Amino acid sequence: MRGWGLLVLSLHVLSCLVSGVASGRTSSYVRTEFPSTDIPLESEWFAIPKGYNAPQQVHITQGDYDGKAVIVSWVTPEEPGPSEVFYGKEKLYDQKAEGTTTNYTFYDYKSGYIHHCLVDGLEYNTKYYYKIGSGNSAREFWFETPPAIDPDASYTFGIIGDLGQTFNSLSTLQHYEKTGGQTVLFVGDLSYADRYEHNDGIRWDSWGRFVEHSTAYQPWIWNTGNHEIEYRPDLGETSVFKPYLHRYMTPYLASKSSSPMWYAVRRASAHIIVLSSYSPFVKYTPQWLWLKNEFKRVDREKTPWLIVLMHSPMYNSNEAHYMEGESMRAAFEKWFVKYKVDLVFAGHVHAYERSYRISNVNYNITSGNRYPVPDKSAPVYITVGDGGNQEGLASRFYNPQPDYSAFREASYGHSVLQLKNRTHAIYQWNRNDDGNPVPADTVMFHNQYCTRRRRLKKNHLHLEDLEDLISLL
Ligand SMILES: [Fe+2]
């Protein structure tokens, strides 16, 4: 980002630094949007790769706790074929990893052969090429490993939620790919295949091909949403999350989790905790017990940035899905404050909203204290469920805007979080129809653990922050 772009961003961040401590803002921006209908199956965006039984729907995710492994997944449509990944630092592909194959049925749908292959023992900060499939049907890709775990390791995450497979979804993907994001934190609701008759798995396949342009080349850290539950007793399908669990592997064992639905990874300077909004989480449940222990394993001296992902937001002033995250807030918010979580990203609501640092941990059903209050130890809550799926935007916010809500807008988009060092990160939310990085919401975050507290005085420009920002850019 250079010249005018840098200046525009600087001024924008500057204005946010000034205005961000004042009252919240509801954007009046209205954009022209594509119809909220899925892209036709015959579209080029879902093209089946050439060659008999060619691997398709290729996606990678982190394969261990610390970023020295990836899980490579793909589907072969006709027959299992080899479940092997050939890889190396050059296109000689001098190393090989062996994977496993699975498949499933869902009512009258029969999946292809789904391969998952752990590629481990990788070096940090290294580009690897990999090849899957055989003969004329072989396909080649690459990925880059993250820097070693280090408190000052800079790294850029994209955050995408509720993506689906409409032209708005495509716009989100294309805009994200321009940002330089290195890994996607996905906050649930992937394909929306469950919106089709009999939860048609063909739309899982088309979605896998749709996102391959990104998912084959950089890890997407997966999380589930309500559209992954797929509980259909009327069809005889009572095994929840069945398609998702067959298709999307997570490294849950590496973080001592007992379920692929909740887990943690460490990447560069970040410790990322993935929670399942639709699995049991109240006291004494496996997820609750796991999270209790995982917070104790967080080492802010090594990974100062502590990030939590979930699907249903705890703080949401949109009429859509209002209060649905309240039960998880009641279960976990006190830990988020105790452990000084930096950021909580959620989806589910098809709009964008960012909170101030607030908490409601003093809420007591007997004695009152029912309002969220400013809390310097609390995370910022960000809802970014605006990926662009067929359900359309959630455009009705409650008014007046609550004190805890800093900015909200009903547009499609995605977020980018640039961790610069142990103390500072630049965050921006980009709405889709800004063709270039001209963010609609930009904030510089100070790390909750490493940064000395500098309280911005209301409506006063803080020169230290501007100096920090310019030095980071
Ligand atoms: Fe959702």
Side-chain angles (χ1 to χ4, degrees):
M1 194 175 300
R2 293 289 182 269
W4 276 109
L6 190 148
L7 180 60
V8 168
L9 179 58
S10 302
L11 292 173
H12 192 91
V13 175
L14 177 57
S15 72
C16 292
L17 288 170
V18 176
S19 64
V21 294
S23 59
R25 189 160 73 87
T26 301
S27 172
S28 58
Y29 188 89
V30 177
R31 68 180 293 270
T32 306
E33 61 190 76
F34 299 109
S36 296
T37 52
D38 281 353
I39 298 171
L41 279 177
E42 60 273 18
S43 164
E44 61 178 311
W45 301 108
F46 301 139
I48 295 171
K50 292 183 173 63
Y52 173 75
N53 206 38
Q56 57 170 269
Q57 308 173 48
V58 182
H59 52 93
I60 64 172
T61 195
Q62 183 161 321
D64 63 354
Y65 202 44
D66 282 346
K68 294 180 79 174
V70 299
I71 301 168
V72 182
S73 303
W74 69 97
V75 174
T76 47
E78 309 294 343
E79 58 178 282
S83 192
E84 298 167 334
V85 173
F86 294 89
Y87 66 100
K89 296 179 191 174
E90 312 285 343
K91 289 189 177 180
L92 298 172
Y93 306 111
D94 51 347
Q95 292 173 276
K96 187 177 95 168
E98 196 81 37
T100 59
T101 308
T102 185
N103 60 359
Y104 72 92
T105 59
F106 195 99
Y107 190 60
D108 56 356
Y109 168 81
K110 185 174 185 302
S111 79
Y113 300 93
I114 301 164
H115 304 259
H116 300 292
C117 182
L118 178 68
V119 179
D120 59 4
L122 302 173
E123 296 175 27
Y124 284 124
N125 249 337
T126 303
K127 184 171 185 174
Y128 285 91
Y129 298 88
Y130 69 100
K131 183 166 76 168
I132 52 180
S134 55
N136 293 334
S137 300
R139 300 183 68 203
E140 300 174 55
F141 306 92
W142 53 263
F143 61 82
E144 292 176 352
T145 52
I149 301 296
D150 183 275
D152 286 313
S154 60
Y155 203 73
T156 301
F157 293 98
I159 304 99
I160 298 175
D162 304 67
L163 186 56
Q165 44 193 303
T166 71
F167 284 102
N168 292 307
S169 322
L170 176 63
S171 178
T172 297
L173 265 185
Q174 291 176 328
H175 280 81
Y176 166 65
E177 289 178 351
K178 290 180 184 176
T179 64
Q182 296 166 285
T183 290
V184 169
L185 308 178
F186 194 83
V187 289
D189 284 357
L190 288 70
S191 72
Y192 288 74
D194 65 333
R195 299 267 298 175
Y196 286 82
E197 187 177 21
H198 303 157
N199 296 35
D200 194 349
I202 287 172
R203 281 291 177 172
W204 270 113
D205 293 320
S206 61
W207 193 82
R209 297 194 293 272
F210 176 62
V211 295
E212 184 191 88
H213 193 261
S214 175
T215 59
Y217 297 92
Q218 63 174 251
W220 284 39
I221 305 301
W222 299 111
N223 192 7
T224 51
N226 51 303
H227 286 279
E228 280 69 68
I229 300 173
E230 305 209 56
Y231 176 66
R232 292 293 302 273
D234 56 318
L235 303 179
E237 296 292 350
T238 55
S239 178
V240 292
F241 300 102
K242 185 179 181 181
Y244 173 85
L245 289 173
H246 280 84
R247 291 170 180 274
Y248 293 91
M249 188 72 81
T250 67
Y252 66 101
L253 293 173
S255 56
K256 301 180 170 58
S257 168
S258 58
S259 168
M261 313 283 290
W262 55 87
Y263 63 99
V265 295
R266 309 199 303 178
R267 198 164 182 87
S269 53
H271 192 122
I272 299 153
I273 291 175
V274 178
L275 298 179
S276 175
S277 294
Y278 306 103
S279 305
F281 52 76
V282 298
K283 196 169 186 178
Y284 311 124
T285 60
Q287 184 169 200
W288 185 93
L289 289 167
W290 173 82
L291 183 59
K292 189 171 191 274
N293 289 322
E294 185 62 22
F295 271 129
K296 292 174 185 167
R297 282 194 287 271
V298 174
D299 183 350
R300 302 295 278 273
E301 296 294 328
K302 292 179 179 172
T303 52
W305 294 97
L306 181 52
I307 298 167
V308 174
L309 312 182
M310 62 181 61
H311 185 62
S312 188
M314 290 184 179
Y315 286 95
N316 164 42
S317 67
N318 196 296
E319 290 185 24
H321 303 304
Y322 185 61
M323 293 287 279
E324 287 183 19
E326 182 65 4
S327 49
M328 185 173 271
R329 189 197 66 75
F332 292 153
E333 186 183 28
K334 61 181 182 300
W335 289 344
F336 292 180
V337 173
K338 176 181 178 182
Y339 291 101
K340 293 183 169 59
V341 171
D342 287 290
L343 296 158
V344 177
F345 291 104
H348 200 34
V349 178
H350 301 164
Y352 174 74
E353 185 164 13
R354 171 175 57 83
S355 80
Y356 294 112
R357 292 199 185 280
I358 43 90
S359 77
N360 204 6
V361 291
N362 292 326
Y363 171 70
N364 182 312
I365 200 167
T366 303
S367 63
N369 294 330
R370 63 190 182 278
Y371 297 111
V373 294
D375 186 337
K376 64 186 180 186
S377 295
V380 168
Y381 294 87
I382 295 174
T383 301
V384 62
D386 52 349
N389 64 74
Q390 59 163 258
E391 291 179 337
L393 286 169
S395 54
R396 292 202 302 274
F397 289 105
Y398 280 111
N399 289 308
Q401 185 169 5
D403 291 342
Y404 66 74
S405 175
F407 180 83
R408 53 187 192 171
E409 178 179 319
S411 294
Y412 295 116
H414 68 275
S415 294
V416 176
L417 177 67
Q418 302 175 59
L419 306 181
K420 294 295 187 182
N421 51 39
R422 74 183 68 195
T423 56
H424 288 78
I426 293 179
Y427 164 83
Q428 61 197 49
W429 172 68
N430 301 319
R431 71 167 78 92
N432 279 354
D433 50 351
D434 291 330
N436 293 305
V438 182
D441 183 36
T442 303
V443 188
M444 184 169 62
F445 289 124
H446 296 149
N447 186 271
Q448 286 287 65
Y449 179 81
C450 290
T451 309
R452 61 195 164 89
R453 302 270 184 268
R454 290 181 306 195
R455 306 292 300 276
L456 295 180
K457 294 179 180 174
K458 188 174 184 180
N459 291 333
H460 281 69
L461 169 64
H462 202 296
L463 288 177
E464 285 179 59
D465 285 296
L466 181 59
E467 288 163 6
D468 285 344
L469 173 66
I470 291 171
S471 69
L472 291 171
L473 291 172

